[in-house]
Amino acid sequence: MTRQRYRQLRYPLVALALILGLLAIHQYRLYASPVAAQRVQTVTISNAGFLPDKLSVNKGETVSLMIVNSDIRPHNLVIRELNVASADLKPNQSATLQFLAEQEGQYTFISNTPGYPETGYQGTLIVN
């Protein structure tokens, strides 16, 4: 090949090398990430409150909570101490919350959709 041909291919080859490098980094993050949940727990929000209203997880566990709103009003799930919150869920909507249980203790979860804790919508997350 001529020198001119190498110059023409220089930029496409540099772009290809950058793309391959970024893909390699992305794949590494996918496999190195500790975000994979060890189990999924379902919390249903009904007119009776949270079901179940007591959850137990292990310290260091990646917690995955499937929140299902079966009530006729909108609700959410908030654990203030852990900075975990779902969006406001309309009736029959669901969402998944995922977080790492880093510290042992008991944490209260509530629904505060109107901006204040709703009466009867409270539970406890226990990290052992």
Side-chain angles (χ1 to χ4, degrees):
M1 271 196 212
T2 66
R3 190 172 200 178
Q4 184 179 5
R5 184 70 177 145
Y6 281 121
R7 284 185 182 165
Q8 288 175 342
L9 292 176
R10 179 176 49 190
Y11 292 114
L13 289 175
V14 168
L16 180 62
L18 284 172
I19 290 169
L20 291 175
L22 290 172
L23 284 173
I25 291 170
H26 178 70
Q27 289 291 6
Y28 172 77
R29 286 186 183 171
L30 283 178
Y31 292 112
S33 175
V35 177
Q38 295 167 350
R39 62 186 161 135
V40 177
Q41 297 186 48
T42 301
V43 177
T44 302
I45 306 173
S46 69
N47 61 355
F50 291 107
L51 300 172
D53 63 353
K54 187 175 277 189
L55 301 170
S56 181
V57 298
N58 295 318
K59 179 181 177 182
E61 182 178 352
T62 299
V63 180
S64 185
L65 299 177
M66 170 70 87
I67 314 301
V68 179
N69 183 8
S70 67
D71 195 11
I72 59 172
R73 299 179 310 163
H75 295 283
N76 65 353
L77 187 141
V78 177
I79 308 173
R80 288 186 182 140
E81 296 91 349
L82 300 178
N83 293 320
V84 173
S86 74
D88 291 346
L89 301 173
K90 296 177 184 174
N92 298 316
Q93 270 191 325
S94 64
T96 301
L97 294 175
Q98 204 169 60
F99 59 94
L100 183 62
E102 295 179 301
Q103 279 194 316
E104 292 182 358
Q106 292 191 8
Y107 303 95
T108 301
F109 56 89
I110 60 169
S111 176
N112 66 355
T113 297
Y116 54 89
E118 297 180 79
T119 305
Y121 291 89
Q122 181 173 318
T124 305
L125 172 71
I126 302 167
V127 179
N128 297 314

